[in-house]
Amino acid sequence: MNTETVIRTFVEYYEERGHHRVTGSTLLPPPGDPVLFTTSGMHPLTPHLEGRPHEHGRRLVNVQRCLRTTDLEEVGDPTHLTVFEMLGTWSLGDYEGPQSLDWGHALLTEGFGIDPGLLHATVFGGDDQVGPDTDSLRVWEERGVPVEHTVDDNWWSNGPTGPCGPDSEIFLWTGDTPPESTPTRDERWVEVWNHVMMRHRRLPDGSLVPLPQRNVDTGLGVERLAALLQGERSVFDCDVFTPWRRTVPDLWHLDEPTSRLVCDHLRSAMVVVGDGVRPGTTGRGYVLRRLIRRALTALWRDDPSRGLGDLPGELTRHTLDHFRQSADPDEVRRVLLDEERRFAGLLRRGRQVLARPRFRGTLDEEDLHYLHDTHGLPPELVRSLREEDPSRVS
Ligand code: SER
């Protein structure tokens, strides 16, 4: 089942159950949202989760592009991406969690044909503020799905304050043996779908108050589900990455984790630029800069002649099309190449400056300030340049 079919099957299933498809927004959350980027499908809907009526009613479904930097260090493993698409469903004060889980289980097993014996659920076990989620537990017991109780892993929030609630996650077994152990103890259980009973609001003093309505917010990563349905362990092997996987290994000989990181970061950078962000020293621009520079650092580690100019323009066009972005691919490419030039210049300058006798020994705070303020060399760059030369004292 290719990704387009996964998305269509999902959306149609919920449309048949009275959900209206809403158009996803860009990676930039609405003003006032505490996060830099849209990290899940619920962001653009926050005012409606807080009670403002939605023009399309109380049942919604969509596909939303998301960006998560919390997972940046994990990129390169088989399941994490920086920019990805999330399928989402919402009950805005309409049906409750058990209905959502029931439909979710039926869609996975009957709609997508997943063997029910390969599923595991987790539910919120309760803490000193909110009791255990017995409603979700009951659904899973009725459906014969094994359940693990957790506390922190089954509480979803968007930040320190705001809408939040207990969640129930559905995992799929990806091991070569029959299923064993539980999701928190064995990483062959891969999370596919999160159902959040979003009915609380966390206040700045840490206390919880009820939201004006009891919502359900669910999110499912498209690439991850598509890979699993296509029998692939790695998101990078699902059909979405085919053009990347066809191109990158021919251009650059990279080991598998490096190749995944380079594909993820460059593809993510294209989408971020496509949504109007430009590299910079703070906020979104800094996230973009880090993505590009991390990819270049990985590429240049064993061959400094590699460059983003090697990438065929077709890859940029394909990526923007996939995310339904209207940005000009040539402009996106120009932004990436400009940043590459800037980074290469900075590295050249950094190596020259750090070769001076004054900087060969241990560097103190004052040195780091001087390198930053006078030569534009941020401390993390200084650190990585010094690591290139093991003869230095760090
Ligand atoms: N907001 C939840 C999540 O990000 C479900 O969409 O997992």
Side-chain angles (χ1 to χ4, degrees):
M1 192 179 271
N2 67 24
T3 306
E4 287 311 316
T5 314
V6 170
I7 294 176
R8 200 176 49 247
T9 306
F10 185 94
V11 171
E12 283 174 3
Y13 180 87
Y14 280 96
E15 282 176 340
E16 281 160 17
R17 284 155 187 80
H19 293 65
H20 185 97
R21 179 171 183 167
V22 288
T23 312
S25 80
T26 75
L27 284 175
L28 314 189
D33 197 295
V35 298
L36 285 179
F37 287 102
T38 300
T39 62
S40 89
M42 57 132 326
H43 272 133
L45 296 170
T46 306
H48 307 290
L49 291 161
E50 293 184 323
R52 189 199 297 170
H54 193 284
E55 56 174 331
H56 294 302
R58 293 180 170 275
R59 298 183 181 194
L60 307 176
V61 57
N62 87 355
V63 47
Q64 170 67 53
R65 57 177 172 275
C66 300
L67 183 149
R68 291 196 176 175
T69 48
T70 40
D71 296 335
L72 216 53
E73 301 305 328
E74 295 181 61
V75 167
D77 80 0
T79 54
H80 287 91
L81 293 170
T82 307
V83 167
F84 61 98
E85 288 193 291
M86 195 186 254
L87 287 162
T89 64
W90 291 272
S91 158
L92 301 173
D94 189 356
Y95 59 84
E96 295 262 333
Q99 174 67 84
S100 181
L101 295 176
D102 207 51
W103 278 336
H105 184 266
L107 175 58
L108 290 178
T109 55
E110 292 153 31
F112 291 124
I114 293 175
D115 176 353
L118 298 180
L119 296 177
H120 205 303
T122 59
V123 304
F124 181 67
D127 63 13
D128 52 3
Q129 287 177 295
V130 177
D133 183 4
T134 48
D135 292 342
S136 298
L137 182 63
R138 201 166 313 118
V139 175
W140 295 128
E141 280 173 355
E142 278 164 19
R143 291 246 170 198
V145 177
V147 176
E148 180 176 28
H149 295 82
T150 84
V151 178
D152 295 343
D153 286 351
N154 282 102
W155 184 267
W156 199 88
S157 64
N158 180 25
T161 59
C164 56
D167 65 35
S168 183
E169 299 181 347
I170 309 173
F171 291 76
L172 178 61
W173 178 251
T174 61
D176 299 327
T177 62
E180 55 185 90
S181 193
T182 65
T184 64
R185 282 188 252 133
D186 192 322
E187 61 185 24
R188 288 173 294 175
W189 286 108
V190 172
E191 183 201 330
V192 287
W193 201 347
N194 192 9
H195 293 237
V196 185
M197 322 311 156
M198 198 165 284
R199 40 188 186 236
H200 304 277
R201 185 205 308 278
R202 173 108 40 211
L203 301 178
D205 68 2
S207 61
L208 292 174
V209 292
L211 283 174
Q213 63 194 22
R214 293 161 65 87
N215 309 290
V216 187
D217 152 47
T218 87
L220 175 153
V222 173
E223 295 84 353
R224 200 181 279 187
L225 179 66
L228 293 168
L229 293 175
Q230 289 163 20
E232 304 290 355
R233 191 62 233 284
S234 159
V235 283
F236 296 92
D237 291 327
C238 82
D239 58 330
V240 165
F241 278 91
T242 306
W244 285 86
R245 302 292 258 178
R246 255 199 228 121
T247 314
V248 169
D250 286 345
L251 290 179
W252 308 312
H253 293 288
L254 305 169
D255 61 43
E256 181 59 18
T258 308
S259 168
R260 289 174 182 168
L261 182 142
V262 166
C263 290
D264 170 82
H265 283 19
L266 293 181
R267 174 176 176 265
S268 301
M270 287 172 186
V271 184
V272 174
V273 175
D275 272 348
V277 179
R278 295 293 175 266
T281 50
T282 56
R284 295 182 184 122
Y286 184 63
V287 172
L288 172 59
R289 173 159 284 168
R290 271 195 76 201
L291 285 171
I292 301 171
R293 292 186 176 185
R294 276 169 59 95
L296 288 170
T297 303
L299 282 179
W300 289 340
R301 203 158 31 224
D302 28 69
D303 184 355
S305 72
R306 291 170 178 158
L308 303 185
D310 304 342
L311 285 175
E314 190 41 40
L315 216 44
T316 316
R317 189 180 307 277
H318 162 84
T319 302
L320 297 173
D321 281 353
H322 174 79
F323 285 93
R324 298 168 291 282
Q325 292 177 293
S326 55
D328 173 9
D330 292 335
E331 167 67 6
V332 171
R333 194 175 156 77
R334 197 188 55 71
V335 172
L336 298 183
L337 290 175
D338 275 357
E339 180 61 14
E340 178 180 49
R341 255 191 305 280
R342 208 171 300 124
F343 187 42
L346 196 61
L347 291 177
R348 248 191 326 273
R349 204 161 53 248
R351 290 193 185 101
Q352 281 163 7
V353 173
L354 290 176
R356 294 181 193 161
R358 167 174 173 191
F359 301 117
R360 294 203 63 88
T362 311
L363 299 182
D364 58 22
E365 280 297 301
E366 201 187 320
D367 295 322
L368 290 174
H369 277 301
Y370 170 82
L371 288 168
H372 192 216
D373 297 346
T374 312
H375 296 285
L377 300 170
E380 75 264 17
L381 187 75
V382 170
R383 260 189 296 278
S384 71
L385 284 174
R386 284 162 64 87
E387 275 164 19
E388 286 177 357
D389 179 356
S391 70
R392 265 181 230 282
V393 185
S394 53

